[in-house]
């Protein structure tokens, strides 16, 4: 049999296997797990992974380049660089701002970067890992984002950049904060890991800043299993990100390519001899943070379903919001004005005066197989990792502390059905009613 025909036959069998291997998806209230997040994978995804494996595309290659090009177009950026995680994407973005190629604009040890106290560690860690100082500001209850006013008050003489995540898919005031960054000659990084498909002022989040980052962990809007991406419209920054991701080398030829830079044996850099092989000249202290073609093949299959996924997230969030609208003692989430979020989760804060606690609420929901998650780290400054670290706090972190004590979130991801959402609503209503 011709190899191409054999491969087509194998992939057809993979698709059949996908359907045969599916578990019983009937929803049994109180028995079936309702996860807060998870990947939604179909026969096309399984076949994409199998095809990449059959072709032995085990390193970054054609699928990685195709995904980078397609995702950059989809997100309205000139360049996208695939990485092994969203956390690595954040590390690359902050590290890029310290590059000597930025000359006087480069960030140096001791420079300050504004961020929020209530978030996920990997938005903040790269600041400290680069010898920079995080400046923490508080957030709003309801949107769970900070405001342009808070950011403006935090700008000091050593402030050089801002990095903020769009909280659980809900955009922060990114038009206003991008303007602040421009007015004060600051870099802006959007951590867009939870917010692919969200819009602010009609514009996609991840397109306002100098750099933006995305995660493809299974919990996120698109998945590669692991993986992430750095996007930018700035070709100089894109070049720096690529170098840092690829060991710090100066050459931009793909592995296995020779001479795409057109001067492979003609460069003279550092104190190296003239003509030293450009593939082995290093201009940054970099990393190896690349992804593989297996991951990218899955990403390409997932990308075709992005609109469907975002619509399901919005629909599930709205069904929860409408179902809980009149329930007392709950602070329900609100979209930031002028935004259209592609939600990552549905956040609930228990009123401190409620006749029940957050812990009691969570215990009840978990007993009914309704998965919950904290709003990530709550107030990061209270964690052992950050106590004693260089930092500056502007204003009180009152709301970040409230989030630490009283806030959790439940799922809206596309695999959740109306029946599941209605069961979650009924369970919360029953719990609150029973406790007055």
């Amino acid at each position: 049999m011709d190899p191409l025909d054999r491969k087509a036959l194998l992939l057809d069998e993979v698709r059949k296997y996908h359907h045969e291997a599916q578990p019983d998806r009937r929803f049994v209230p109180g028995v079936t797990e309702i996860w807060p997040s998870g990947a939604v994978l179909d026969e096309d995804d399984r076949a994409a992974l199998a095809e990449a494996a059959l072709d032995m595309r085990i390193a970054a290659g054609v699928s990685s380049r195709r995904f980078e090009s397609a995702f950059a177009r989809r997100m309205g950026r000139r360049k996208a660089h695939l990485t092994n995680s969203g956390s690595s994407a954040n590390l690359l973005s902050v590290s890029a701002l310290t590059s000597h190629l930025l000359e006087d604009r480069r960030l140096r040890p001791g420079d300050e970067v504004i961020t929020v106290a209530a978030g996920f560690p990997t938005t903040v860690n790269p600041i400290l890992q680069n010898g920079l100082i995080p400046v923490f500001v508080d957030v709003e209850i309801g949107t769970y984002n900070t405001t342009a006013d808070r950011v403006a008050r935090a700008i000091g003489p050593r402030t050089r950049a801002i990095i903020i995540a769009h909280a659980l898919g809900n955009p922060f005031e990114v038009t206003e904060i991008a303007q602040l960054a421009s007015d004060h000659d600051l870099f802006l990084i959007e951590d867009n890991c939870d917010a692919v498909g969200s819009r602010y002022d009609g514009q996609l989040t991840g397109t306002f800043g100098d750099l933006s980052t995305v995660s493809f962990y299974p919990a996120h809007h698109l998945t590669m299993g692991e993986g992430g991406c750095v996007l930018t419209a700035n070709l100089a920054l894109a070049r720096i990100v690529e170098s840092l991701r690829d060991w710090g080398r100066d050459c931009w030829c793909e592995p296995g390519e020779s001479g795409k830079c057109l001067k492979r044996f003609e460069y003279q850099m550092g104190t190296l001899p003239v003509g030293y092989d450009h593939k082995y000249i290093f201009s940054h202290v970099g990393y190896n943070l690349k992804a593989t073609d297996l991951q990218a093949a899955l990403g390409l299959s997932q990308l075709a379903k992005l609109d469907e996924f975002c619509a399901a997230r919005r629909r599930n969030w709205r069904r929860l919001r409408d179902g809980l609208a009149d329930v007392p003692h709950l602070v329900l989430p609100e979209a930031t004005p002028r935004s259209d979020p592609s939600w990552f989760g549905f956040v609930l804060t228990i009123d401190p005066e409620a006749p029940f606690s957050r812990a009691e609420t969570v215990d009840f929901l978990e007993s009914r197989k309704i998965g919950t998650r904290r709003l990530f780290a709550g107030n990061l400054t209270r964690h052992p990792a950050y106590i004693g670290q260089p930092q500056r706090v502007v204003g009180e972190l009152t709301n970040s502390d409230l989030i630490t004590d009283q806030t959790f979130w439940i799922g809206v991801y596309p695999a959740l059905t109306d029946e599941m959402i209605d069961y979650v609503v009924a369970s919360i209503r029953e719990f609150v009613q029973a406790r007055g």
Side-chain angles (χ1 to χ4, degrees), residues 100-335:
H100 62 281
L101 297 180
L102 297 178
E103 300 179 341
D104 290 343
R105 289 205 73 199
R106 70 183 293 193
L107 274 60
R108 300 176 184 274
D111 284 342
E112 293 181 343
V113 181
I114 297 170
T115 190
V116 301
F120 197 73
T122 56
T123 308
V124 175
N125 291 350
I127 302 171
L128 293 166
Q129 289 161 341
N130 279 281
L132 308 168
I133 298 175
V135 178
F136 291 107
V137 296
D138 207 4
V139 300
E140 293 284 287
I141 300 297
T143 67
Y144 302 94
N145 283 302
T146 195
T147 59
D149 287 343
R150 286 187 174 91
V151 172
R153 289 195 296 270
I155 296 172
R158 292 214 65 175
T159 304
R160 302 298 308 282
I162 303 164
I163 177 170
I164 303 174
H166 298 286
L168 287 184
N170 195 18
F172 60 84
E173 294 175 349
V174 64
T175 300
E176 294 86 342
I177 290 174
Q179 187 61 54
L180 274 176
S182 177
D183 292 344
H184 293 271
D185 195 26
L186 309 177
F187 290 105
L188 173 62
I189 299 173
E190 292 176 75
D191 183 333
N192 202 43
C193 290
D194 292 349
V196 172
S198 295
R199 292 180 179 272
Y200 188 83
D201 284 337
Q203 182 176 332
L204 282 172
T205 57
T207 63
F208 292 80
D210 297 284
L211 294 153
S212 66
T213 60
V214 172
S215 172
F216 301 122
Y217 188 70
H220 291 280
H221 288 60
L222 302 173
T223 188
M224 297 182 182
E226 297 284 355
C229 199
V230 182
L231 298 110
T232 184
N234 184 314
L235 295 182
L237 286 175
R239 177 71 192 91
I240 295 167
V241 167
E242 182 176 24
S243 175
L244 286 166
R245 183 196 64 177
D246 297 0
W247 308 284
R249 68 178 188 156
D250 194 76
C251 186
W252 53 91
C253 295
E254 296 286 343
E257 289 184 340
S258 296
K260 187 176 180 180
C261 60
L262 303 179
K263 297 192 292 183
R264 179 179 171 188
F265 298 110
E266 297 177 32
Y267 280 95
Q268 195 288 313
M269 301 182 72
T271 60
L272 293 167
V274 175
Y276 196 85
D277 190 344
H278 192 219
K279 291 174 73 69
Y280 293 97
I281 296 176
F282 299 90
S283 53
H284 290 93
V285 179
Y287 310 90
N288 177 7
L289 301 177
K290 298 187 300 300
T292 69
D293 258 23
L294 284 166
Q295 292 166 279
L298 177 57
L300 281 164
S301 178
Q302 286 269 296
L303 185 56
K305 298 180 275 281
L306 179 57
D307 287 341
E308 175 188 341
F309 289 163
C310 292
R313 288 176 175 275
R314 290 182 170 103
R315 184 171 61 250
N316 288 340
W317 187 92
R318 175 49 57 189
R319 196 174 187 92
L320 283 167
R321 188 65 172 73
D322 291 345
L324 297 172
D326 61 344
V327 178
H329 310 303
L330 303 180
V331 180
L332 299 182
E334 298 285 352

Side-chain angles (χ1 to χ4, degrees), residues 368-418:
R368 293 199 165 194
K369 305 298 184 182
I370 299 168
T372 66
R373 294 291 185 269
R374 302 303 295 269
L375 188 50
F376 305 130
N379 185 346
L380 277 164
T381 68
R382 296 171 58 180
H383 286 255
Y386 305 98
I387 294 173
Q389 294 280 6
Q391 60 185 256
R392 183 162 66 89
V393 176
V394 178
E396 300 294 325
L397 300 179
T398 305
N399 291 336
S400 297
D401 285 333
L402 181 62
I403 287 167
T404 305
D405 295 332
Q406 300 294 110
T407 300
F408 67 97
W409 59 272
I410 53 181
V412 299
Y413 78 109
L416 300 183
T417 64
D418 287 351

